[in-house]
Amino acid sequence: MQLSSMSDLNMSQAIQSPELSSQSPSLNSNVRHNWNLKEVEALFAMPFNDLMFKAQTVHRESFNPNEVQVSTLLSIKTGACPEDCKYCSQSARNKTDLEKESLLAVEKVLEAAQRAKEMGSTRFCMGAAWRNPKERDMPYVLDMVKSVKALGMETCMTLGMLSGDQADQLNDAGLDYYNHNLDTSPEHYNQIITTRTYQDRLDTLSNVRGAGMKVCSGGIVGLGEKSVDRSSLLIQLANLSPQPESVPINMLVKVEGTPLADVDDLESFDFIRCIAVARIMMPKSHVRLSAGRTAMNEQMQAMCFLAGANSIFYGCKLLTAENPETNQDIALFEKLGINTETVAGDTELSDKIIKTAIVDQQNSDLFYNAVA
Ligand code: SAM
Ligand code: DTB
Ligand code: SF4
């Protein structure tokens, strides 16, 4: 099939059901907030094919199965964080090679957002290595929100804990989403972070929701937690009412110099199961296949989409860690017939990106040619 006609086909699929992907989790009566451990463990224990079929069936009830939302990340303040998160390259307590940076100027942030927009991203997420924003930081971050919004992009921030008043200020500036992860189960939590409590995190999520912003909250797997911890984390997220609109599932990126640098790898199928169970429990939320994609081949990522993931970070960098190159992602989407808002929105840009991506992809290590 010609590249251009493949793109046209994908675009028409995207246009057929726009109302599906814009539904809010809180509006649907099928969304449950009373999940218990026994039933979630039973989902994890299902035969893999049955679990994938169930997840894909649930996914199709609310979403176009061939559409993935893409966001681009920027670290607006890097490193020297006072918190002790054992996975993080940015904690001052971890002996990593990271170069720290002070808060970026608003113009720099705007330039990065403009570049993200040009490469087709529709949401710009700004992250800071803070325990919480200080009052003196607020005018700058509010300015960032307003400037990025003015480009016509959706905005997201992740700045650590927020007071109710700070959440209100961000909402008033036009911030669409606030990301604050629960990270792991309440039971495993103290093995990972001791400088803020689980309740602190829940309080921030409640302040974000109370201010009227959309909630982005998920966690990390592969931290050395037990399977029951993954069930317990998903229960915490799904039993929030309303459920988070966006649920990032991060695979631990192992960073040298952190206490988790040598933790055992999580079995790939356990990661995919986690995506599938999140999809079933949070049927109206965007489930994001988040950090860790550089360690996944195309086939694994495709299985995550089949399990119900419908969002990714797009752009060659996360906050400090690597992410796949954009042309690799576009080429994968093209192979899978997946649309992004990027591709659907601008035919000329889409064709240009796709053509470059297909050429570059043939030289990529991740490329697997099944017929060769
Ligand atoms: N400092 C803020 C905070 O912790 O709330 C915001 C930035 S923090 C880097 C955002 C999230 O990124 C963390 O909560 C964690 O879930 C995820 N993250 C950080 N380092 C990671 C790593 N090495 N692998 C996977 N996820 C990671
Ligand atoms: C989320 O859940 N994952 C993103 C975003 N929210 C802020 C961050 C991933 C960070 C991966 C490690 C790094 O880049 O330092
Ligand atoms: Fe700081 Fe956030 Fe990293 Fe924890 S995850 S050390 S709070 S930047």
Side-chain angles (χ1 to χ4, degrees), residues 17-280:
S17 56
E19 76 286 358
L20 291 180
S21 43
S22 61
Q23 284 180 9
S24 161
S26 53
L27 296 179
N28 192 284
S29 55
N30 297 328
V31 177
R32 288 179 47 199
H33 304 283
N34 59 351
W35 290 93
N36 67 55
L37 194 57
K38 202 165 156 222
E39 60 188 336
V40 177
E41 297 253 82
L43 286 175
F44 271 100
M46 282 172 78
F48 188 76
N49 287 345
D50 289 346
L51 177 63
M52 294 292 277
F53 182 71
K54 187 175 173 72
Q56 180 63 203
T57 305
V58 169
H59 189 53
R60 282 167 185 259
E61 281 164 13
S62 303
F63 292 104
N64 179 332
N66 303 309
E67 200 170 277
V68 168
Q69 186 276 325
V70 296
S71 304
T72 297
L73 269 172
L74 175 72
S75 179
I76 59 168
K77 188 267 164 188
T78 306
C81 182
E83 301 292 274
D84 71 349
C85 310
K86 297 205 173 30
Y87 50 77
C88 188
S89 63
Q90 306 200 68
S91 167
R93 306 175 194 224
N94 296 336
K95 303 277 168 287
T96 62
D97 289 341
L98 192 71
E99 281 207 19
K100 37 186 201 235
E101 282 172 23
S102 44
L103 187 60
L104 291 184
V106 176
E107 300 77 63
K108 294 269 174 221
V109 174
L110 202 50
E111 278 167 27
Q114 182 67 50
R115 280 197 301 275
K117 187 181 171 188
E118 279 159 17
M119 81 188 187
S121 205
T122 51
R123 191 180 306 163
F124 195 64
C125 304
M126 295 156 268
W130 286 328
R131 172 177 166 78
N132 54 269
K134 307 274 179 305
E135 281 318 303
R136 64 167 187 267
D137 302 318
M138 288 306 289
Y140 296 98
V141 297
L142 297 175
D143 236 20
M144 289 174 193
V145 174
K146 289 179 197 154
S147 314
V148 175
K149 274 284 288 185
L151 291 177
M153 299 184 84
E154 285 186 311
T155 50
C156 177
M157 281 192 157
T158 180
L159 313 172
M161 296 186 287
L162 287 188
S163 67
D165 181 50
Q166 288 173 326
D168 287 340
Q169 291 180 49
L170 287 165
N171 183 57
D172 292 346
L175 188 66
D176 298 297
Y177 290 80
Y178 194 80
N179 166 248
H180 197 65
N181 291 340
L182 294 179
D183 276 358
T184 188
S185 67
E187 297 77 19
H188 190 62
Y189 187 79
N190 288 342
Q191 308 287 311
I192 304 297
I193 302 127
T194 67
T195 49
R196 70 171 73 145
T197 65
Y198 214 78
Q199 189 58 49
D200 288 333
R201 290 181 186 262
L202 293 168
D203 291 346
T204 290
L205 293 183
S206 154
N207 290 338
V208 170
R209 187 60 86 190
M213 287 179 283
K214 292 184 192 141
V215 171
C216 172
S217 187
I220 315 178
V221 299
L223 296 168
E225 75 283 351
K226 296 194 283 296
S227 163
V228 67
D229 293 306
R230 294 189 279 279
S231 298
S232 175
L233 167 65
L234 293 180
I235 288 172
Q236 288 291 326
L237 293 166
N239 288 352
L240 291 171
S241 183
Q243 293 180 345
E245 281 78 3
S246 173
V247 180
I249 306 291
N250 296 278
M251 168 87 99
L252 175 70
V253 177
K254 294 185 202 174
V255 181
E256 217 174 301
T258 64
L260 296 179
D262 298 319
V263 76
D264 286 343
D265 282 341
L266 184 72
E267 156 74 47
S268 298
F269 291 113
D270 288 338
F271 182 82
I272 300 165
R273 279 179 188 277
C274 201
I275 299 269
V277 175
R279 163 52 61 227
I280 293 164

